[in-house]
Amino acid sequence: MSNSRMTRSRRQERGGEEHSITENQRVPKAICALSVDSLPVPAIVSVSQIDLLKIMSQQQEAAERHQRQLLDAASQQQQQLVQLLREQQEQRKQEIANQREQRERELASQMKQRRLDREAQERSETSLHELFRTTVAALQAVYQVNG
């Protein structure tokens, strides 16, 4: 059996090893250097409580830092999403404006074509009227010559 596991009475029987403790990996070195009888149990508990409080405080700080990092990352993602949505909205507005301009150009082109067709029709009708009058005048002249 190792010295760390021997009872006090056995240590006394083996030659007065009462005040020395062999190192135990789970016990801090400061506590190992002291004799068992000289360190009261509540002091060990107090040291352990202080250590636990320090650890808990460090964990709390780490958790708060992590939470801030997560919130910062979430905020950054939210800003990126808002920016993306704005860009998409702007792109959609631009597409709508382009479509509207295209439609207006098409309508303007159609109206211009209709105007040109109407003008051509009017010229054609005017030409037909002039031809008709010329023909009537020529017939009247022939009728008068023959008549």
Side-chain angles (χ1 to χ4, degrees):
M1 181 180 287
S2 71
N3 280 340
S4 63
R5 293 191 177 186
M6 278 190 216
T7 63
R8 187 180 307 166
S9 61
R10 285 194 183 163
R11 280 195 298 262
Q12 287 173 347
E13 290 172 5
R14 295 192 82 207
E17 297 178 23
E18 179 181 344
H19 293 291
S20 66
I21 300 173
T22 58
E23 286 193 29
N24 183 341
Q25 296 298 328
R26 292 182 275 169
V27 178
K29 292 187 185 315
I31 294 174
C32 290
L34 301 172
S35 73
V36 175
D37 294 337
S38 67
L39 188 61
V41 174
I44 294 173
V45 172
S46 295
V47 170
S48 297
Q49 287 175 346
I50 290 171
D51 290 342
L52 287 175
L53 288 174
K54 286 181 183 177
I55 291 169
M56 288 172 61
S57 174
Q58 292 170 351
Q59 288 177 339
Q60 177 81 23
E61 291 171 3
E64 288 172 358
R65 277 194 309 273
H66 185 66
Q67 187 176 16
R68 279 193 302 273
Q69 289 172 349
L70 289 175
L71 288 174
D72 289 346
S75 175
Q76 191 176 28
Q77 287 178 342
Q78 187 177 23
Q79 290 173 354
Q80 290 173 345
L81 181 59
V82 167
Q83 182 63 28
L84 178 63
L85 290 173
R86 285 182 183 153
E87 289 172 2
Q88 288 177 344
Q89 186 178 27
E90 187 61 34
Q91 183 180 8
R92 183 66 182 138
K93 282 181 183 178
Q94 188 64 36
E95 289 173 1
I96 290 171
N98 291 344
Q99 289 173 352
R100 184 179 300 127
E101 289 174 10
Q102 178 66 27
R103 183 68 181 144
E104 287 172 358
R105 284 192 298 270
E106 288 173 1
L107 290 173
S109 176
Q110 288 174 359
M111 290 175 70
K112 181 179 179 181
Q113 187 61 45
R114 288 179 187 162
R115 183 180 53 80
L116 292 174
D117 289 347
R118 240 188 346 266
E119 289 173 358
Q121 173 124 8
E122 288 172 1
R123 282 193 303 275
S124 175
E125 288 175 1
T126 303
S127 295
L128 284 174
H129 282 97
E130 286 297 317
L131 179 62
F132 181 72
R133 274 186 263 162
T134 305
T135 304
V136 168
L139 286 174
Q140 285 177 345
V142 169
Y143 180 73
Q144 285 178 355
V145 169
N146 288 334

mmCIF file with all atom_site columns, all heavy atoms in Angstrom, residues 73-90:
data_model
loop_
_atom_site.group_PDB
_atom_site.id
_atom_site.type_symbol
_atom_site.label_atom_id
_atom_site.label_alt_id
_atom_site.label_comp_id
_atom_site.label_asym_id
_atom_site.label_entity_id
_atom_site.label_seq_id
_atom_site.pdbx_PDB_ins_code
_atom_site.Cartn_x
_atom_site.Cartn_y
_atom_site.Cartn_z
_atom_site.occupancy
_atom_site.B_iso_or_equiv
_atom_site.pdbx_formal_charge
_atom_site.auth_seq_id
_atom_site.auth_comp_id
_atom_site.auth_asym_id
_atom_site.auth_atom_id
_atom_site.pdbx_PDB_model_num
ATOM 1   N N   . ALA A 1 73 ? -21.781 38.792 -33.676 1.00 0.00 ? 73 ALA A N   1
ATOM 2   C CA  . ALA A 1 73 ? -21.870 38.031 -34.927 1.00 0.00 ? 73 ALA A CA  1
ATOM 3   C C   . ALA A 1 73 ? -23.300 38.058 -35.468 1.00 0.00 ? 73 ALA A C   1
ATOM 4   O O   . ALA A 1 73 ? -23.513 38.247 -36.671 1.00 0.00 ? 73 ALA A O   1
ATOM 5   C CB  . ALA A 1 73 ? -21.410 36.590 -34.714 1.00 0.00 ? 73 ALA A CB  1
ATOM 6   N N   . ALA A 1 74 ? -24.266 37.900 -34.579 1.00 0.00 ? 74 ALA A N   1
ATOM 7   C CA  . ALA A 1 74 ? -25.677 37.926 -35.005 1.00 0.00 ? 74 ALA A CA  1
ATOM 8   C C   . ALA A 1 74 ? -26.038 39.311 -35.536 1.00 0.00 ? 74 ALA A C   1
ATOM 9   O O   . ALA A 1 74 ? -26.730 39.431 -36.556 1.00 0.00 ? 74 ALA A O   1
ATOM 10  C CB  . ALA A 1 74 ? -26.587 37.542 -33.845 1.00 0.00 ? 74 ALA A CB  1
ATOM 11  N N   . SER A 1 75 ? -25.551 40.337 -34.861 1.00 0.00 ? 75 SER A N   1
ATOM 12  C CA  . SER A 1 75 ? -25.811 41.700 -35.307 1.00 0.00 ? 75 SER A CA  1
ATOM 13  C C   . SER A 1 75 ? -25.181 41.949 -36.670 1.00 0.00 ? 75 SER A C   1
ATOM 14  O O   . SER A 1 75 ? -25.793 42.549 -37.554 1.00 0.00 ? 75 SER A O   1
ATOM 15  C CB  . SER A 1 75 ? -25.261 42.694 -34.285 1.00 0.00 ? 75 SER A CB  1
ATOM 16  O OG  . SER A 1 75 ? -25.407 44.013 -34.748 1.00 0.00 ? 75 SER A OG  1
ATOM 17  N N   . GLN A 1 76 ? -23.969 41.464 -36.844 1.00 0.00 ? 76 GLN A N   1
ATOM 18  C CA  . GLN A 1 76 ? -23.285 41.620 -38.122 1.00 0.00 ? 76 GLN A CA  1
ATOM 19  C C   . GLN A 1 76 ? -24.030 40.879 -39.238 1.00 0.00 ? 76 GLN A C   1
ATOM 20  O O   . GLN A 1 76 ? -24.224 41.404 -40.335 1.00 0.00 ? 76 GLN A O   1
ATOM 21  C CB  . GLN A 1 76 ? -21.848 41.116 -38.003 1.00 0.00 ? 76 GLN A CB  1
ATOM 22  C CG  . GLN A 1 76 ? -20.971 41.464 -39.165 1.00 0.00 ? 76 GLN A CG  1
ATOM 23  C CD  . GLN A 1 76 ? -19.539 41.027 -38.926 1.00 0.00 ? 76 GLN A CD  1
ATOM 24  O OE1 . GLN A 1 76 ? -19.285 40.071 -38.194 1.00 0.00 ? 76 GLN A OE1 1
ATOM 25  N NE2 . GLN A 1 76 ? -18.590 41.705 -39.536 1.00 0.00 ? 76 GLN A NE2 1
ATOM 26  N N   . GLN A 1 77 ? -24.478 39.670 -38.925 1.00 0.00 ? 77 GLN A N   1
ATOM 27  C CA  . GLN A 1 77 ? -25.246 38.905 -39.916 1.00 0.00 ? 77 GLN A CA  1
ATOM 28  C C   . GLN A 1 77 ? -26.547 39.623 -40.252 1.00 0.00 ? 77 GLN A C   1
ATOM 29  O O   . GLN A 1 77 ? -26.975 39.662 -41.401 1.00 0.00 ? 77 GLN A O   1
ATOM 30  C CB  . GLN A 1 77 ? -25.537 37.502 -39.401 1.00 0.00 ? 77 GLN A CB  1
ATOM 31  C CG  . GLN A 1 77 ? -24.327 36.594 -39.399 1.00 0.00 ? 77 GLN A CG  1
ATOM 32  C CD  . GLN A 1 77 ? -24.628 35.224 -38.827 1.00 0.00 ? 77 GLN A CD  1
ATOM 33  O OE1 . GLN A 1 77 ? -25.632 35.027 -38.139 1.00 0.00 ? 77 GLN A OE1 1
ATOM 34  N NE2 . GLN A 1 77 ? -23.759 34.272 -39.090 1.00 0.00 ? 77 GLN A NE2 1
ATOM 35  N N   . GLN A 1 78 ? -27.185 40.185 -39.219 1.00 0.00 ? 78 GLN A N   1
ATOM 36  C CA  . GLN A 1 78 ? -28.437 40.903 -39.442 1.00 0.00 ? 78 GLN A CA  1
ATOM 37  C C   . GLN A 1 78 ? -28.194 42.128 -40.325 1.00 0.00 ? 78 GLN A C   1
ATOM 38  O O   . GLN A 1 78 ? -28.968 42.392 -41.251 1.00 0.00 ? 78 GLN A O   1
ATOM 39  C CB  . GLN A 1 78 ? -29.040 41.327 -38.106 1.00 0.00 ? 78 GLN A CB  1
ATOM 40  C CG  . GLN A 1 78 ? -30.424 41.920 -38.220 1.00 0.00 ? 78 GLN A CG  1
ATOM 41  C CD  . GLN A 1 78 ? -31.003 42.259 -36.870 1.00 0.00 ? 78 GLN A CD  1
ATOM 42  O OE1 . GLN A 1 78 ? -30.284 42.449 -35.899 1.00 0.00 ? 78 GLN A OE1 1
ATOM 43  N NE2 . GLN A 1 78 ? -32.302 42.349 -36.794 1.00 0.00 ? 78 GLN A NE2 1
ATOM 44  N N   . GLN A 1 79 ? -27.101 42.854 -40.071 1.00 0.00 ? 79 GLN A N   1
ATOM 45  C CA  . GLN A 1 79 ? -26.771 44.003 -40.901 1.00 0.00 ? 79 GLN A CA  1
ATOM 46  C C   . GLN A 1 79 ? -26.484 43.587 -42.332 1.00 0.00 ? 79 GLN A C   1
ATOM 47  O O   . GLN A 1 79 ? -26.906 44.256 -43.278 1.00 0.00 ? 79 GLN A O   1
ATOM 48  C CB  . GLN A 1 79 ? -25.568 44.744 -40.318 1.00 0.00 ? 79 GLN A CB  1
ATOM 49  C CG  . GLN A 1 79 ? -25.862 45.477 -39.027 1.00 0.00 ? 79 GLN A CG  1
ATOM 50  C CD  . GLN A 1 79 ? -24.624 46.058 -38.381 1.00 0.00 ? 79 GLN A CD  1
ATOM 51  O OE1 . GLN A 1 79 ? -23.507 45.828 -38.847 1.00 0.00 ? 79 GLN A OE1 1
ATOM 52  N NE2 . GLN A 1 79 ? -24.796 46.810 -37.314 1.00 0.00 ? 79 GLN A NE2 1
ATOM 53  N N   . GLN A 1 80 ? -25.787 42.459 -42.500 1.00 0.00 ? 80 GLN A N   1
ATOM 54  C CA  . GLN A 1 80 ? -25.509 41.963 -43.845 1.00 0.00 ? 80 GLN A CA  1
ATOM 55  C C   . GLN A 1 80 ? -26.798 41.571 -44.549 1.00 0.00 ? 80 GLN A C   1
ATOM 56  O O   . GLN A 1 80 ? -26.972 41.834 -45.741 1.00 0.00 ? 80 GLN A O   1
ATOM 57  C CB  . GLN A 1 80 ? -24.556 40.775 -43.781 1.00 0.00 ? 80 GLN A CB  1
ATOM 58  C CG  . GLN A 1 80 ? -23.148 41.140 -43.382 1.00 0.00 ? 80 GLN A CG  1
ATOM 59  C CD  . GLN A 1 80 ? -22.265 39.924 -43.165 1.00 0.00 ? 80 GLN A CD  1
ATOM 60  O OE1 . GLN A 1 80 ? -22.751 38.803 -43.039 1.00 0.00 ? 80 GLN A OE1 1
ATOM 61  N NE2 . GLN A 1 80 ? -20.957 40.137 -43.086 1.00 0.00 ? 80 GLN A NE2 1
ATOM 62  N N   . LEU A 1 81 ? -27.714 40.951 -43.805 1.00 0.00 ? 81 LEU A N   1
ATOM 63  C CA  . LEU A 1 81 ? -28.996 40.554 -44.385 1.00 0.00 ? 81 LEU A CA  1
ATOM 64  C C   . LEU A 1 81 ? -29.806 41.779 -44.784 1.00 0.00 ? 81 LEU A C   1
ATOM 65  O O   . LEU A 1 81 ? -30.388 41.817 -45.876 1.00 0.00 ? 81 LEU A O   1
ATOM 66  C CB  . LEU A 1 81 ? -29.780 39.696 -43.387 1.00 0.00 ? 81 LEU A CB  1
ATOM 67  C CG  . LEU A 1 81 ? -31.137 39.185 -43.841 1.00 0.00 ? 81 LEU A CG  1
ATOM 68  C CD1 . LEU A 1 81 ? -30.995 38.328 -45.102 1.00 0.00 ? 81 LEU A CD1 1
ATOM 69  C CD2 . LEU A 1 81 ? -31.802 38.387 -42.745 1.00 0.00 ? 81 LEU A CD2 1
ATOM 70  N N   . VAL A 1 82 ? -29.831 42.790 -43.921 1.00 0.00 ? 82 VAL A N   1
ATOM 71  C CA  . VAL A 1 82 ? -30.551 44.028 -44.241 1.00 0.00 ? 82 VAL A CA  1
ATOM 72  C C   . VAL A 1 82 ? -29.937 44.675 -45.478 1.00 0.00 ? 82 VAL A C   1
ATOM 73  O O   . VAL A 1 82 ? -30.655 45.122 -46.375 1.00 0.00 ? 82 VAL A O   1
ATOM 74  C CB  . VAL A 1 82 ? -30.534 44.988 -43.029 1.00 0.00 ? 82 VAL A CB  1
ATOM 75  C CG1 . VAL A 1 82 ? -30.985 46.383 -43.424 1.00 0.00 ? 82 VAL A CG1 1
ATOM 76  C CG2 . VAL A 1 82 ? -31.410 44.449 -41.908 1.00 0.00 ? 82 VAL A CG2 1
ATOM 77  N N   . GLN A 1 83 ? -28.608 44.702 -45.537 1.00 0.00 ? 83 GLN A N   1
ATOM 78  C CA  . GLN A 1 83 ? -27.930 45.267 -46.706 1.00 0.00 ? 83 GLN A CA  1
ATOM 79  C C   . GLN A 1 83 ? -28.269 44.484 -47.968 1.00 0.00 ? 83 GLN A C   1
ATOM 80  O O   . GLN A 1 83 ? -28.533 45.066 -49.025 1.00 0.00 ? 83 GLN A O   1
ATOM 81  C CB  . GLN A 1 83 ? -26.411 45.303 -46.476 1.00 0.00 ? 83 GLN A CB  1
ATOM 82  C CG  . GLN A 1 83 ? -25.637 45.915 -47.617 1.00 0.00 ? 83 GLN A CG  1
ATOM 83  C CD  . GLN A 1 83 ? -25.974 47.369 -47.844 1.00 0.00 ? 83 GLN A CD  1
ATOM 84  O OE1 . GLN A 1 83 ? -26.353 48.078 -46.920 1.00 0.00 ? 83 GLN A OE1 1
ATOM 85  N NE2 . GLN A 1 83 ? -25.863 47.810 -49.073 1.00 0.00 ? 83 GLN A NE2 1
ATOM 86  N N   . LEU A 1 84 ? -28.270 43.160 -47.864 1.00 0.00 ? 84 LEU A N   1
ATOM 87  C CA  . LEU A 1 84 ? -28.614 42.316 -49.007 1.00 0.00 ? 84 LEU A CA  1
ATOM 88  C C   . LEU A 1 84 ? -30.046 42.585 -49.457 1.00 0.00 ? 84 LEU A C   1
ATOM 89  O O   . LEU A 1 84 ? -30.316 42.709 -50.661 1.00 0.00 ? 84 LEU A O   1
ATOM 90  C CB  . LEU A 1 84 ? -28.434 40.839 -48.648 1.00 0.00 ? 84 LEU A CB  1
ATOM 91  C CG  . LEU A 1 84 ? -28.792 39.828 -49.722 1.00 0.00 ? 84 LEU A CG  1
ATOM 92  C CD1 . LEU A 1 84 ? -27.902 39.989 -50.942 1.00 0.00 ? 84 LEU A CD1 1
ATOM 93  C CD2 . LEU A 1 84 ? -28.688 38.415 -49.173 1.00 0.00 ? 84 LEU A CD2 1
ATOM 94  N N   . LEU A 1 85 ? -30.961 42.695 -48.497 1.00 0.00 ? 85 LEU A N   1
ATOM 95  C CA  . LEU A 1 85 ? -32.357 42.975 -48.838 1.00 0.00 ? 85 LEU A CA  1
ATOM 96  C C   . LEU A 1 85 ? -32.489 44.344 -49.500 1.00 0.00 ? 85 LEU A C   1
ATOM 97  O O   . LEU A 1 85 ? -33.247 44.492 -50.461 1.00 0.00 ? 85 LEU A O   1
ATOM 98  C CB  . LEU A 1 85 ? -33.239 42.889 -47.590 1.00 0.00 ? 85 LEU A CB  1
ATOM 99  C CG  . LEU A 1 85 ? -33.433 41.491 -47.015 1.00 0.00 ? 85 LEU A CG  1
ATOM 100 C CD1 . LEU A 1 85 ? -34.178 41.551 -45.689 1.00 0.00 ? 85 LEU A CD1 1
ATOM 101 C CD2 . LEU A 1 85 ? -34.177 40.602 -47.999 1.00 0.00 ? 85 LEU A CD2 1
ATOM 102 N N   . ARG A 1 86 ? -31.744 45.335 -48.992 1.00 0.00 ? 86 ARG A N   1
ATOM 103 C CA  . ARG A 1 86 ? -31.779 46.658 -49.614 1.00 0.00 ? 86 ARG A CA  1
ATOM 104 C C   . ARG A 1 86 ? -31.257 46.599 -51.041 1.00 0.00 ? 86 ARG A C   1
ATOM 105 O O   . ARG A 1 86 ? -31.824 47.220 -51.937 1.00 0.00 ? 86 ARG A O   1
ATOM 106 C CB  . ARG A 1 86 ? -30.936 47.647 -48.804 1.00 0.00 ? 86 ARG A CB  1
ATOM 107 C CG  . ARG A 1 86 ? -31.600 48.091 -47.535 1.00 0.00 ? 86 ARG A CG  1
ATOM 108 C CD  . ARG A 1 86 ? -30.748 49.088 -46.797 1.00 0.00 ? 86 ARG A CD  1
ATOM 109 N NE  . ARG A 1 86 ? -31.377 49.460 -45.538 1.00 0.00 ? 86 ARG A NE  1
ATOM 110 C CZ  . ARG A 1 86 ? -30.731 49.876 -44.478 1.00 0.00 ? 86 ARG A CZ  1
ATOM 111 N NH1 . ARG A 1 86 ? -29.412 50.000 -44.520 1.00 0.00 ? 86 ARG A NH1 1
ATOM 112 N NH2 . ARG A 1 86 ? -31.372 50.177 -43.385 1.00 0.00 ? 86 ARG A NH2 1
ATOM 113 N N   . GLU A 1 87 ? -30.167 45.870 -51.230 1.00 0.00 ? 87 GLU A N   1
ATOM 114 C CA  . GLU A 1 87 ? -29.600 45.742 -52.579 1.00 0.00 ? 87 GLU A CA  1
ATOM 115 C C   . GLU A 1 87 ? -30.583 45.041 -53.510 1.00 0.00 ? 87 GLU A C   1
ATOM 116 O O   . GLU A 1 87 ? -30.748 45.449 -54.657 1.00 0.00 ? 87 GLU A O   1
ATOM 117 C CB  . GLU A 1 87 ? -28.281 44.984 -52.520 1.00 0.00 ? 87 GLU A CB  1
ATOM 118 C CG  . GLU A 1 87 ? -27.156 45.762 -51.880 1.00 0.00 ? 87 GLU A CG  1
ATOM 119 C CD  . GLU A 1 87 ? -25.905 44.939 -51.647 1.00 0.00 ? 87 GLU A CD  1
ATOM 120 O OE1 . GLU A 1 87 ? -25.871 43.739 -52.016 1.00 0.00 ? 87 GLU A OE1 1
ATOM 121 O OE2 . GLU A 1 87 ? -24.933 45.495 -51.095 1.00 0.00 ? 87 GLU A OE2 1
ATOM 122 N N   . GLN A 1 88 ? -31.235 43.982 -53.009 1.00 0.00 ? 88 GLN A N   1
ATOM 123 C CA  . GLN A 1 88 ? -32.222 43.279 -53.836 1.00 0.00 ? 88 GLN A CA  1
ATOM 124 C C   . GLN A 1 88 ? -33.393 44.185 -54.157 1.00 0.00 ? 88 GLN A C   1
ATOM 125 O O   . GLN A 1 88 ? -33.908 44.186 -55.282 1.00 0.00 ? 88 GLN A O   1
ATOM 126 C CB  . GLN A 1 88 ? -32.706 42.019 -53.115 1.00 0.00 ? 88 GLN A CB  1
ATOM 127 C CG  . GLN A 1 88 ? -31.678 40.908 -53.070 1.00 0.00 ? 88 GLN A CG  1
ATOM 128 C CD  . GLN A 1 88 ? -32.155 39.702 -52.294 1.00 0.00 ? 88 GLN A CD  1
ATOM 129 O OE1 . GLN A 1 88 ? -33.126 39.764 -51.527 1.00 0.00 ? 88 GLN A OE1 1
ATOM 130 N NE2 . GLN A 1 88 ? -31.484 38.580 -52.472 1.00 0.00 ? 88 GLN A NE2 1
ATOM 131 N N   . GLN A 1 89 ? -33.841 44.975 -53.139 1.00 0.00 ? 89 GLN A N   1
ATOM 132 C CA  . GLN A 1 89 ? -34.953 45.887 -53.364 1.00 0.00 ? 89 GLN A CA  1
ATOM 133 C C   . GLN A 1 89 ? -34.567 46.950 -54.399 1.00 0.00 ? 89 GLN A C   1
ATOM 134 O O   . GLN A 1 89 ? -35.354 47.266 -55.301 1.00 0.00 ? 89 GLN A O   1
ATOM 135 C CB  . GLN A 1 89 ? -35.343 46.552 -52.042 1.00 0.00 ? 89 GLN A CB  1
ATOM 136 C CG  . GLN A 1 89 ? -36.579 47.406 -52.118 1.00 0.00 ? 89 GLN A CG  1
ATOM 137 C CD  . GLN A 1 89 ? -36.936 47.994 -50.773 1.00 0.00 ? 89 GLN A CD  1
ATOM 138 O OE1 . GLN A 1 89 ? -36.083 48.197 -49.917 1.00 0.00 ? 89 GLN A OE1 1
ATOM 139 N NE2 . GLN A 1 89 ? -38.207 48.271 -50.581 1.00 0.00 ? 89 GLN A NE2 1
ATOM 140 N N   . GLU A 1 90 ? -33.365 47.471 -54.283 1.00 0.00 ? 90 GLU A N   1
ATOM 141 C CA  . GLU A 1 90 ? -32.885 48.470 -55.243 1.00 0.00 ? 90 GLU A CA  1
ATOM 142 C C   . GLU A 1 90 ? -32.772 47.868 -56.647 1.00 0.00 ? 90 GLU A C   1
ATOM 143 O O   . GLU A 1 90 ? -33.151 48.494 -57.636 1.00 0.00 ? 90 GLU A O   1
ATOM 144 C CB  . GLU A 1 90 ? -31.540 49.036 -54.781 1.00 0.00 ? 90 GLU A CB  1
ATOM 145 C CG  . GLU A 1 90 ? -31.038 50.180 -55.618 1.00 0.00 ? 90 GLU A CG  1
ATOM 146 C CD  . GLU A 1 90 ? -31.963 51.380 -55.610 1.00 0.00 ? 90 GLU A CD  1
ATOM 147 O OE1 . GLU A 1 90 ? -32.607 51.653 -54.578 1.00 0.00 ? 90 GLU A OE1 1
ATOM 148 O OE2 . GLU A 1 90 ? -32.054 52.039 -56.659 1.00 0.00 ? 90 GLU A OE2 1
#
